[in-house]
Amino acid sequence: MTTFTHETDYLIVGAGAVGMAFADVLLSETDANIMIVDKYHKPGGHWNVAYPFVTLHQPSAFYGVSSTELSKGCIDKGGLNKGLNELATGAEVSAYFDNVMRERFLPSGRVSYYPMSEYKGNGKFVSVINDDEHQVTVNKKIVDATYLKTSVPSTHKPSFTVDCSAQFMPINDLVNIDKKPAGFVIIGGGKTGIDACLWLLENKVNPEDIQWIMPRDAWLIDRKNTQPTIEFFNDAIGTQAAQMEAIAQSTSVDDMFSRLEKAGVFLRLDENVWPQMFHGATVSQMELAELKKIKNVVRKGRVTHVGQDNIQLEQGEIKTSPEHIHVDCSASAITNLAVKPIFNGNVVTPQTVRSYQPAFSAAFIAHIEASEKYPDEKSKNHICGVVPLPNGVMDWVRLTAAFMRNQHIWSQDNDLKAWLLKNRLDGFGQLVRSVDKTDTEKMMILGRLRENAMPAMGKLQQYLAAEAAQGA
C-alpha cells in the first residue's frame, strides 16, 4: 500500500449527474483545479448499474451538464413517447457522461479523476483495486455529490424476505429470461414498476399474465407538459398557468388535487383510487393507456414475504407459484430525503433547488459558489433554498411552495436572470422569454400565470400551516 498526497481547490465526491454538472460550471466559470473521486469505473453514477431498457423520464434537453448538449433535438416518431421530445436511453446517458469526462474535463488540465475509489472523509480516499491511499489538501471546498443517494434495483436489498424456492429478480434481469413463466409479479408502484410493466407490454406479454403489487397509488405527471420547445408552449406553460389557477381557487388539499387533475396537471392509473404517493413519476398518455390494460393490480400494502405458494402483504396475502417470476421494483429512487444546508463551512452539499431537476440544481449551486457576488454563506443558502424531494401528496405542496419561493428570489436578481437565460438546462425560462409579444394567445397564458402566482403561494402556505397546526 502506498500513500499519495494531493492539493486541489475543489474535491468533488461522486461523478454522477450532480457531481459532473457541478464540476462543469466550475470549469467554465472559475480557474479552479478540481479533483473528482468516484466508486464506479466510469462517470455516470447510478447509470452504470441501471436496468438495460431504462430511459430518461423527461426530455433530454433538461439533463446533463450545462456546456454539452445531450438532446439530439428530435421528436420521437414511434413508440410510447411518439410525438414528444426524445428520451435518452441509459446507454446514451452513460456514454454522454464518459465523453464529457474524456473530451472536456480531462483535456482541460484542471480536472483529475479517480474512479474505483472509496471516499473515507476528511479529504482521504482509497483505491478499491490496489489499496493505495490518497490524502487531499482542499484549498476551497469539498463537494458531497453523493448526498442524494440513488437506489437502484440491482444494488438494492429488499425490505421483505424471499423464500429460496421463489423465482425472484431485480428488474435488470428481465432481459435474461429464456423461457415463458407462469406469470410476472411486479413488486412496486413507482417509476421502476411502471418501466417493468411497460417493457413487458411492449414485448407482447399478455396483460392478464402480469400481476402488479402497488402498495400506494401515485399521482403522475403528464410528460407532454414537460416539453421545453415552442411547439409545446400551450402544454408546458399553459399547464403551469392552469396549475396556479387550480391552487388559487382550491378550498382544501383534496380539492386542489382534484382541480389539478381536471386541469391536466396530474394523471392517475385508476380513477376510482385516490393516490397517496407522489414521487414525480412522468408518463406519456400512450404509456398510461398501456398501463391501464393491466387489470390485476394488488392494493394490500407492502410485501412482507415472497413464499413458494403465496405472497404475504401488510393487508392480506395472494397466491403465487414457483413458476411465477417476481420482479423487484421496490427500490426508492432517492433514499435520503433529509434536508441540510447546501453551504456549510468548507462543505457544499448539492440538493434540488428546482423540482425534479438535480442536474440543473447542481449547475445552479456551482454558479452561486463561483460567483463573487454572493461572498457569504448566509446569502448563498438564501438563494439556494432546498426544494424537498417528494414522497406523499403533502410533499408536493412543500416542494411547490419552495420552488415558487426560489423562482421569486431569482427573478429579483438581474445577474441570475441573465445566467438562467443562457443556461441550456433552464428550458422553460428560455421558452417564456422566446414568446413574441404580439402573440396574443401566449401572452394571455403568461398573464394568467402571473396573476395567479401570489394567490396560489398564499393557498399553499395556508395548507402547510394547517398541517403544522394539526401535527402540533
Side-chain angles (χ1 to χ4, degrees), residues 174-214:
L174 273 176
V175 297
N176 298 322
I177 293 173
D178 56 9
K179 68 177 182 177
K180 182 181 182 298
F184 294 90
V185 182
I186 307 303
I187 302 174
K191 185 59 181 174
T192 305
I194 289 172
D195 283 352
C197 290
L198 289 173
W199 186 82
L200 291 173
L201 292 168
E202 285 185 280
N203 283 278
K204 310 306 180 186
V205 172
N206 190 326
E208 294 180 1
D209 291 336
I210 302 172
Q211 193 168 37
W212 192 359
I213 296 177
M214 189 175 298

Side-chain angles (χ1 to χ4, degrees), residues 61-299:
F62 283 131
Y63 200 72
V65 304
S66 300
S67 68
T68 307
E69 185 67 63
L70 170 61
S71 170
K72 298 187 290 290
C74 300
I75 299 293
D76 280 340
K77 304 299 183 184
L80 298 178
N81 195 57
K82 183 179 179 180
L84 303 178
N85 284 277
E86 92 274 14
L87 306 174
T89 66
E92 288 173 331
V93 174
S94 184
Y96 165 86
F97 283 122
D98 196 35
N99 288 338
V100 169
M101 178 65 76
R102 290 185 296 103
E103 298 175 7
R104 170 165 162 76
F105 284 12
L106 297 180
S108 72
R110 293 197 283 123
V111 177
S112 55
Y113 170 51
Y114 290 83
M116 300 294 289
S117 296
E118 182 181 359
Y119 185 65
K120 299 291 190 179
N122 298 316
K124 179 181 177 180
F125 65 92
V126 177
S127 168
V128 298
I129 56 176
N130 60 25
D131 281 340
D132 283 348
E133 288 189 353
H134 300 260
Q135 186 64 50
V136 186
T137 299
V138 181
N139 296 327
K140 292 188 177 180
K141 299 285 179 68
I142 297 171
V143 181
D144 181 6
T146 68
Y147 186 69
L148 298 181
K149 295 179 176 63
T150 301
S151 176
V152 295
S154 62
T155 59
H156 156 79
K157 182 179 180 181
S159 60
F160 48 87
T161 55
V162 181
D163 193 281
C164 61
S165 62
Q167 289 195 74
F168 182 81
M169 63 176 61
I171 185 176
N172 301 59
D173 291 345
L174 273 176
V175 297
N176 298 322
I177 293 173
D178 56 9
K179 68 177 182 177
K180 182 181 182 298
F184 294 90
V185 182
I186 307 303
I187 302 174
K191 185 59 181 174
T192 305
I194 289 172
D195 283 352
C197 290
L198 289 173
W199 186 82
L200 291 173
L201 292 168
E202 285 185 280
N203 283 278
K204 310 306 180 186
V205 172
N206 190 326
E208 294 180 1
D209 291 336
I210 302 172
Q211 193 168 37
W212 192 359
I213 296 177
M214 189 175 298
R216 295 182 297 169
D217 278 64
W219 289 110
L220 306 171
I221 296 172
D222 188 340
R223 190 177 298 124
K224 190 175 184 181
N225 301 333
T226 70
Q227 306 298 300
T229 46
I230 192 65
E231 63 267 35
F232 294 98
F233 183 93
N234 288 10
D235 300 296
I237 307 304
T239 301
Q240 289 185 28
Q243 174 177 300
M244 292 299 112
E245 288 173 338
I247 298 170
Q249 295 168 11
S250 65
T251 57
S252 68
V253 172
D254 282 352
D255 179 59
M256 178 181 68
F257 275 91
S258 180
R259 289 173 182 269
L260 289 166
E261 183 181 24
K262 289 176 183 175
V265 177
F266 288 135
L267 305 170
R268 54 173 153 162
L269 187 64
D270 189 330
E271 63 183 16
N272 297 312
V273 180
W274 190 256
Q276 299 296 326
M277 180 173 73
F278 178 76
H279 283 175
T282 305
V283 297
S284 69
Q285 291 277 2
M286 293 176 68
E287 288 173 337
L288 186 64
E290 285 295 298
L291 293 170
K292 287 184 176 183
K293 293 178 180 178
I294 301 173
K295 303 302 181 184
N296 194 354
V297 180
V298 179
R299 296 180 169 93

Side-chain angles (χ1 to χ4, degrees), residues 48 68 70 76 84 183 193 278 314 339 344 370 373 394 397 410 469:
N48 284 296
T68 307
L70 170 61
D76 280 340
L84 303 178
F278 178 76
E314 292 171 323
V339 170
N344 185 17
K373 184 177 179 179
M394 280 303 295
V397 179
W410 301 348

